[in-house]
Amino acid sequence: MKIKVLLVFIIFCSAACSKSNKKIVRFDDYQPYFKATSLVSNNSLEEELKFWKDRLNKNTNDEASVLKLASLQAELFKTTGLVEHILTSDSLYLMALKNYPQGNVEIYHALAANAITQHRFQDAKQFAELALGLGDKKATSLLVMVDACLETGDYATANRTLRQFKNKNSFAYLIRKAKVKDHEGSLDSAIVCMEKAYERIKGNKTLSAWTLSNLADMYGHAGRIEDSYAKYLQVLKDNPNDDYALKGIAWIAFSHDHDA
């Protein structure tokens, strides 16, 4: 009888181990995305830059041109990674800010966004505080403050700031609440928040990709590896050049499937 029980136990353990060691990443799933070679074109951005530069050359006091050029330079940094673009953007925003002795909320928001992009999180927090001090566009200023606090690890202030939002079902609120919950160790609650956020913006390709990638990360942390893998593939289906999703799949192959 003992031998039978031992045999059943061994079979059960073998089955469990076999299930947990089952490879998830399949070559046929991701192979088509290795053929994705389309590059991001900056032609339209370059054309816009030329237009606004020419306009500014004709009138050096044209503030609209300065602000537009600052925005375009920040966009170019996102697609090229060349630091000169984000630095030029900062310089143009600061130039425009000189025309506002009392400050300008939208310029502060833009400078805060640039600071976060450059990992200058304390600077971003200061710009958010300046924007809040002006009182206009308070909701956006609060969001910027939450982002800066999350990046600096000031989760207490991030939580207090989030409590000021009236719309607890907006995408902007939910994604930030998810980050706070994740930090607090409430991973299941964080996932629920991120899933709700995704429901709000399904039709938006850019936001959907970002949200699905974050969900994939969270599913992975929760041990839901197959769900994580499925989300990364969903991102690649809409954007075959999404390197973050490819890296996510690579990590699953390496850490779960032990397939370097």
Side-chain angles (χ1 to χ4, degrees):
M1 185 65 179
K2 288 182 179 179
I3 293 175
K4 284 185 178 180
V5 171
L6 181 60
L7 184 60
V8 169
F9 178 74
I10 291 172
I11 292 171
F12 174 80
C13 288
S14 298
C17 290
S18 175
K19 184 176 180 180
S20 65
N21 291 331
K22 183 183 73 172
K23 287 195 173 185
I24 290 176
V25 177
R26 293 175 292 276
F27 178 74
D28 289 344
D29 291 338
Y30 64 80
Q31 191 270 339
Y33 305 117
F34 281 173
K35 297 178 182 177
T37 55
S38 62
L39 298 175
V40 176
S41 173
N42 290 318
N43 291 340
S44 60
L45 279 175
E46 294 288 356
E47 287 176 9
E48 274 198 87
L49 268 176
K50 184 179 184 307
F51 171 81
W52 291 102
K53 280 179 180 177
D54 290 343
R55 179 169 156 168
L56 185 61
N57 287 333
K58 292 176 183 176
N59 178 11
T60 55
N61 295 317
D62 185 1
E63 183 184 311
S65 296
V66 174
L67 291 174
K68 187 63 180 180
L69 283 168
S71 173
L72 289 171
Q73 291 286 356
E75 284 299 310
L76 268 176
F77 173 75
K78 292 176 185 176
T79 58
T80 66
L82 296 175
V83 71
E84 63 199 57
H85 292 302
I86 197 72
L87 295 178
T88 301
S89 177
D90 281 340
S91 297
L92 290 168
Y93 278 129
L94 290 170
M95 183 192 304
L97 192 59
K98 291 178 181 178
N99 297 324
Y100 298 90
Q102 304 303 317
N104 181 288
V105 170
E106 292 183 348
I107 294 177
Y108 286 145
H109 290 166
L111 284 167
N114 279 2
I116 289 174
T117 298
Q118 298 170 71
H119 290 197
R120 292 168 32 230
F121 303 125
Q122 290 294 346
D123 289 343
K125 199 172 179 180
Q126 289 177 8
F127 286 128
E129 288 169 350
L130 289 170
L132 283 168
L134 295 178
D136 193 23
K137 299 181 186 277
K138 185 177 179 181
T140 303
S141 299
L142 288 172
L143 290 174
V144 175
M145 177 61 78
V146 172
D147 289 341
C149 288
L150 288 172
E151 294 292 355
T152 56
D154 186 1
Y155 291 95
T157 302
N159 242 330
R160 285 197 302 272
T161 307
L162 278 173
R163 291 193 199 106
Q164 298 183 51
F165 285 91
K166 293 179 180 178
N167 185 0
K168 301 290 196 291
N169 291 311
S170 69
F171 174 78
Y173 173 85
L174 288 167
I175 60 174
R176 289 165 176 84
K177 190 64 176 177
K179 289 184 178 181
V180 171
K181 287 291 184 184
D182 191 18
H183 167 75
E184 292 174 346
S186 302
L187 184 54
D188 289 342
S189 296
I191 288 172
V192 169
C193 286
M194 196 62 76
E195 287 173 339
K196 285 182 180 178
Y198 175 64
E199 291 300 316
R200 301 286 183 277
I201 44 83
K202 274 184 181 178
N204 186 315
K205 278 194 172 183
T206 302
L207 291 179
S208 290
W210 183 90
T211 311
L212 287 171
S213 293
N214 276 273
L215 264 177
D217 288 347
M218 289 180 174
Y219 287 153
H221 297 159
R224 296 167 56 180
I225 309 301
E226 291 190 22
D227 290 336
S228 176
Y229 179 59
K231 291 303 179 191
Y232 285 132
L233 288 176
Q234 191 175 341
V235 172
L236 288 169
K237 185 176 180 181
D238 289 333
N239 179 15
N241 294 295
D242 193 300
D243 62 330
Y244 190 87
L246 285 169
K247 285 188 282 188
I249 289 174
W251 179 247
I252 292 173
F254 177 74
S255 64
H256 180 274
D257 295 353
H258 307 295
D259 183 355

